[in-house]
Amino acid sequence: MSDAPALTALRCKDLLGIADLSAAEITLILDTAEAMKEVATRPIKKVPALRGKTVVNLFFEPSTRTRTSFEIAEKRLSADTLNIAIGSSSVVKGETLADTALNLEAMAPDMIVLRHSSSGAGHLLSRICRSGIINAGDGTHEHPTQALLDAFTIRERKGRLSGLKVAIIGDLQHSRVLRSNIQLLTKMGADVWVSGPPTLIPAGMRDFGVTATPNVDEAIDGADVIMLLRIQLERMEGAYFPSLREYFNVFGMTENRLRLARPDVMIMHPGPMNRGVEIASEVADGPYSVILEQVANGVAVRMAVLYLLAGGVDHEEAA
Amino acid sequence: MKKLLKGGRVVDPRNGLDGAFDVLIDGDRIARVGRDLPADGATVVEIPADLVICPGLIDMHVHLREPGQEHKETVATGTAAAVAGGFTAVACMPNTIPVNDSANVTTLILSKAAAAGLARVYPIGAVSKGSKGELLADIAELRQAGCVAISDDGHPVATALLMRRALEYAGMFDMPLIEHCEDPTLKGDGVAHEGFHASSLGLRGIPGAAEALGVERGVLLAELTGSRLHIAHMSARASIRGVRKGKEAGVRVTCEVAPHHFTLTDEALQSPTAYDTNTKMNPPLREAADRDAMLAGIADGTVDAIATDHAPHHYDEKQVEFDRAPFGIVGLETAVSLTFDRLLHTGLVRLPRIVELLSANPAHILKIPGGTLSEGAVADITILAPELKVRVHARSFRSRSKNTPFDGWELRGGVAATIVGGRTVFANAEAGLTTL
């Protein structure tokens, strides 16, 4: 470890959401991730920190990016990993999540990384299982490792989170990335603005401690960071907005619009992107974009989370 | 066989009684209520002065699940839960499998109730065949078989036109239509009250307006037809407003509120246990302003009845992801304690009003026996223990299902005994009544 963190361990066996983390715990994870990032620069990208630990990646939703990122993180920590991908169709005809979890539990894994389409699925697992649970995205609730890797990326570039103006734009209603990010960023003292069509702004947004506005220009005015959220194409059918073309015209992030933000603004996107809907290609591929850095940092942050939760190994061994 | 209940505080709002009286029961009827009645050959039961003798409580909204879902509840287990909760009668909703849309199903339920011999059971028939919202059920046949009201509960009556026809048709028997108020498009696939807590948990919301739209529709159609409408399980402040306006305009509308809606708010979605599926019901737990509106409606008389919407579900049906869990909680065995704790001991209302809400008014709305201690009335009596300390213990429920968010709660007020047709069907040893 480079800097000695104020904390040396997390309080909980699970990472279900940013909601359960204190600012000090968030800092601990980000500091630990810095050390983990260094591993990727070595010729042999492997440390023995989780040797002998079993990690199950239990994915009930299709995912390439997150699952791959977790798997690489686990392998770099020398864990034994197992991928289980269960299509939602087999859930309908098959066993309950509780039964799936109990069956896995009987084989005594150390950690379960869960991706599921229902909000709170990780909470259910956590009540049933002794294994640690890492939420890799539950419905429209949280995606805590995404928010942590976003924070890591911002901190690495800007040196801090506190006092930054961060604008998050897109489908706020259906975004677990949004919920994790606003909790993390507000806990760390950032000034968070959110924007999107009023039909996609969740009820009670004011109580989250952020400023919500349908006026994108107002949200990004002087922003240090702009995060764009994916617009799912099927939302048009729910009459949330009239057309993708109109969405892009009113809310899309274009080079022209970017001039309102600070000159050193960072453009972030959790992926997968819809080019020409929430983000113009020139912006996605432009100089402000850190989208691929986010992906790279995802591995380091997930290594940190796995390491801190699977525990039982001192910091020297990991570094 | 005569029995004299001596001592205790008698509360019978229909007769304007509230004081120290004796109650003489002769067979299955109430023979006399008066001061210092002579024993005259009757078995004398001494009732401690801190207990309350009132007309038997009536829960006008329960789901007994039989026929079809006996793993959740049966008429026998449901009525056992009822009498343990102080209820001498319940009205059961028709969403059984098959739906209670025919005399056969009604008769089956009544025969099961007679065999159980606990609480009286008053079936509610379906508005439409199969509760599908297309054709009217055989309402006259249902009434003849013993149904006391009609409802497509679980869902609103499908269209305004069908509801109009049902109100007009049932109006010839002066039977109330009980409406589950909800605009299905606004409710959508929502699972929790639309607000901060659902938003932060990522749960799809149901706005209060979805319910209030149903209330407005119902009140307008009750006005149009002149028939009686009863609004089930109100939860939204705009619904209370709609009923209040309707009553002021002379529309024949009554309404009920469930104990969980005057006790809990949507904060329970997050704490003490996030995503506890025993906080999932329809209508959902709403925000504090809505809960407070329920309390205000209870205090000012807008609300006519407290009804539990007792909705048993098997534990493994509830041990699933929140959005996959069925809606509903059991309520029969916690209603009295919650009512005392939240309405009486807070000073919101006085005891006679509680007896109105839980007994006199439901009897009046459904036009069923009971709700009074008048001489000659059925001897359905509940003895209440307003000061009894109660700790809710779900595993001890008589109900076959234990799905309650109140497990472990400590509440002030409970049930001492339940008497149906002169027969003691429940006595609570903890309340100090042993000789009943």
Side-chain angles (χ1 to χ4, degrees):
Chain A
M1 295 295 122
S2 46
D3 299 322
L7 283 180
T8 56
L10 300 175
R11 289 169 302 174
C12 188
K13 76 177 173 76
D14 308 311
L15 176 61
L16 300 179
I18 300 296
D20 306 323
L21 296 179
S22 65
E25 286 175 307
I26 291 165
T27 302
L28 170 66
I29 294 170
L30 299 183
D31 290 348
T32 308
E34 273 179 24
M36 294 298 176
K37 190 170 182 180
E38 185 269 332
V39 175
T41 65
R42 299 180 189 175
I44 308 287
K45 299 181 178 59
K46 207 171 182 84
V47 291
L50 295 192
R51 192 171 49 202
K53 303 272 184 188
T54 308
V55 183
V56 175
N57 299 315
L58 182 58
F59 277 61
F60 288 88
E61 266 187 352
S63 157
T64 310
R65 190 175 319 239
T66 304
R67 194 188 55 70
T68 311
S69 179
F70 266 107
E71 196 177 344
I72 292 177
E74 290 150 12
K75 291 194 157 136
R76 287 194 179 155
L77 290 170
S78 307
D80 296 318
T81 70
L82 180 70
N83 292 314
I84 304 178
I86 302 177
S88 48
S89 60
S90 59
V91 174
V92 173
K93 62 186 170 192
E95 64 187 0
T96 63
L97 176 60
D99 280 337
T100 304
L102 286 170
N103 277 281
L104 279 175
E105 179 76 356
M107 295 181 263
D110 296 283
M111 302 290 308
I112 297 174
V113 177
L114 178 73
R115 161 70 62 97
H116 198 283
S117 60
S118 288
S119 300
H123 292 72
L124 174 63
L125 233 61
S126 167
R127 286 199 286 273
I128 295 172
C129 296
R130 267 199 302 275
S131 321
I133 310 295
I134 297 176
N135 178 7
D138 63 327
T140 56
H141 174 229
E142 281 222 43
H143 191 356
T145 57
Q146 178 70 42
L148 287 162
L149 75 87
D150 290 342
F152 183 89
T153 308
I154 298 169
R155 199 178 76 158
E156 198 172 48
R157 283 263 179 149
K158 304 276 185 194
R160 66 195 164 100
L161 294 164
S162 172
L164 297 179
K165 178 172 180 180
V166 182
I168 308 177
I169 295 148
D171 180 352
L172 310 175
Q173 177 81 281
H174 302 95
S175 177
R176 51 193 173 211
V177 175
L178 172 88
R179 284 168 180 75
S180 287
N181 260 308
I182 56 181
Q183 297 201 65
L184 189 153
L185 292 166
T186 53
K187 276 179 189 183
M188 302 308 282
D191 175 24
V192 182
W193 289 61
V194 299
S195 184
T199 49
L200 290 169
I201 297 179
M205 207 67 227
R206 223 182 357 190
D207 297 329
F208 285 90
V210 303
T211 311
T213 169
N215 183 340
V216 175
D217 292 343
E218 197 189 345
I220 66 172
D221 186 33
D224 298 281
V225 178
I226 298 174
M227 286 186 191
L228 301 165
L229 301 173
R230 177 178 167 77
I231 290 295
Q232 291 186 338
L233 306 184
E234 61 268 24
R235 296 295 170 217
M236 275 184 300
E237 287 158 25
Y240 288 102
F241 55 88
S243 67
L244 295 178
R245 182 170 158 275
E246 177 150 322
Y247 184 90
F248 183 68
N249 288 338
V250 180
F251 301 99
M253 197 51 53
T254 57
E255 282 189 305
N256 193 33
R257 180 164 259 157
L258 264 191
R259 290 189 198 124
L260 290 166
R262 284 179 54 91
D264 58 348
V265 67
M266 296 168 64
I267 299 289
M268 308 181 79
H269 195 301
M273 276 187 289
N274 291 310
R275 290 167 179 265
V277 181
E278 67 265 10
I279 187 166
S281 278
E282 297 75 45
V283 175
D285 304 326
Y288 308 112
S289 168
V290 295
I291 294 169
L292 294 176
E293 265 176 56
Q294 288 174 271
V295 177
N297 291 335
V299 175
V301 164
R302 288 174 178 122
M303 285 171 75
V305 168
L306 284 158
Y307 168 72
L308 289 168
L309 289 176
V313 185
D314 69 21
H315 288 204
E316 298 310 318
E317 196 179 338
Chain B
M1 172 68 190
K2 289 186 183 177
K3 202 182 287 181
L4 181 64
L5 307 182
K6 231 178 162 24
R9 171 180 171 192
V10 170
V11 178
D12 179 11
R14 191 119 300 166
N15 289 306
L17 288 184
D18 180 3
F21 296 97
D22 299 341
V23 177
L24 181 66
I25 300 167
D26 186 359
D28 65 350
R29 298 276 150 180
I30 290 172
R32 270 191 79 187
V33 177
R35 285 193 205 279
D36 302 320
L37 297 182
D40 206 12
T43 311
V44 177
V45 181
E46 297 287 345
I47 307 291
D50 58 340
L51 298 188
V52 170
I53 301 169
C54 67
L57 309 185
I58 299 166
D59 188 347
M60 61 182 298
H61 191 145
V62 304
H63 298 269
L64 294 180
R65 305 298 189 207
E66 188 174 9
Q69 294 184 297
E70 291 85 353
H71 64 293
K72 298 177 193 246
E73 194 80 286
T74 63
V75 173
T77 59
T79 51
V83 297
F87 293 99
T88 56
V90 296
C92 60
M93 283 295 173
N95 60 340
T96 46
I97 305 171
V99 168
N100 184 10
D101 61 359
S102 73
N104 290 340
V105 179
T106 305
T107 306
L108 174 81
I109 293 168
L110 289 173
S111 71
K112 297 278 182 183
L118 296 165
R120 297 179 199 273
V121 174
Y122 295 100
I124 296 164
V127 168
S128 61
K129 285 202 171 72
S131 283
K132 290 198 170 99
E134 291 157 6
L135 306 169
L136 284 183
D138 292 337
I139 293 169
E141 175 191 298
L142 287 166
R143 178 171 179 272
Q144 188 116 43
C147 287
V148 295
I150 52 171
S151 180
D152 274 350
D153 185 59
H155 301 283
V157 176
T159 66
L161 180 64
L162 185 70
M163 187 166 180
R164 176 196 180 165
R165 298 281 188 253
L167 281 164
E168 284 172 337
Y169 193 83
M172 78 175 144
F173 309 116
D174 200 25
M175 255 173 128
L177 186 154
I178 302 177
E179 174 70 342
H180 168 124
C181 290
E182 176 179 286
D183 180 278
T185 66
L186 266 190
K187 186 213 169 209
D189 55 2
V191 297
H193 173 63
E194 184 175 295
F196 169 72
H197 294 288
S199 289
S200 70
L201 291 172
L203 296 173
R204 295 183 296 273
I206 307 171
E211 177 181 295
L213 262 179
V215 172
E216 297 292 338
R217 180 185 83 161
V219 168
L220 286 169
L221 293 173
E223 183 177 37
L224 175 67
T225 59
S227 296
R228 287 204 292 138
L229 174 74
H230 177 78
I231 293 173
H233 48 50
M234 292 208 304
S235 67
R237 55 193 188 270
S239 300
I240 292 275
R241 195 170 65 212
V243 169
R244 197 176 281 139
K245 273 191 322 195
K247 286 186 167 184
E248 279 164 12
V251 178
R252 299 172 77 197
V253 58
T254 55
C255 67
E256 71 192 31
V257 170
H260 49 269
H261 286 129
F262 66 65
T263 303
L264 296 171
T265 66
D266 58 349
E267 212 182 328
L269 297 166
Q270 301 219 58
S271 118
T273 308
Y275 299 101
D276 180 356
T277 55
N278 287 330
T279 62
K280 178 176 176 180
M281 62 287 283
N282 187 23
L285 298 174
R286 298 204 185 273
E287 58 202 53
D290 293 301
R291 194 263 320 268
D292 294 347
M294 297 307 120
L295 293 171
I298 286 167
D300 72 14
T302 306
V303 173
D304 298 280
I306 292 170
T308 66
D309 193 10
H310 178 80
H313 292 293
H314 196 255
Y315 76 90
D316 59 17
E317 295 167 322
K318 278 286 197 180
Q319 184 166 294
V320 294
E321 301 87 318
F322 193 92
D323 54 3
R324 287 170 198 258
F327 291 103
I329 60 170
V330 291
L332 282 167
E333 292 171 80
T334 48
V336 163
S337 294
L338 290 167
T339 301
F340 276 138
D341 198 86
R342 298 305 160 117
L343 306 184
L344 184 75
H345 295 312
T346 54
L348 185 78
V349 297
R350 287 157 33 83
L351 200 49
R353 172 71 178 140
I354 285 176
V355 176
E356 267 178 25
L357 290 161
L358 280 167
S359 178
N361 290 352
H364 184 68
I365 293 164
L366 298 176
K367 294 182 161 184
I368 58 177
T372 170
L373 298 176
S374 300
E375 287 168 19
V378 292
D380 288 4
I381 296 170
T382 302
I383 304 179
L384 297 166
E387 300 301 329
L388 185 69
K389 293 233 180 310
V390 170
R391 189 184 164 88
V392 178
H393 191 241
R395 274 194 303 167
S396 311
F397 281 173
R398 267 83 166 169
S399 171
R400 184 160 281 182
S401 294
K402 322 294 176 194
N403 49 313
T404 176
F406 301 114
D407 194 24
W409 281 40
E410 290 184 3
L411 297 164
R412 183 170 155 215
V415 178
T418 310
I419 298 167
V420 176
R423 215 159 48 85
T424 303
V425 289
F426 173 76
N428 184 356
E430 287 170 35
L433 275 186
T434 47
T435 57
L436 208 58

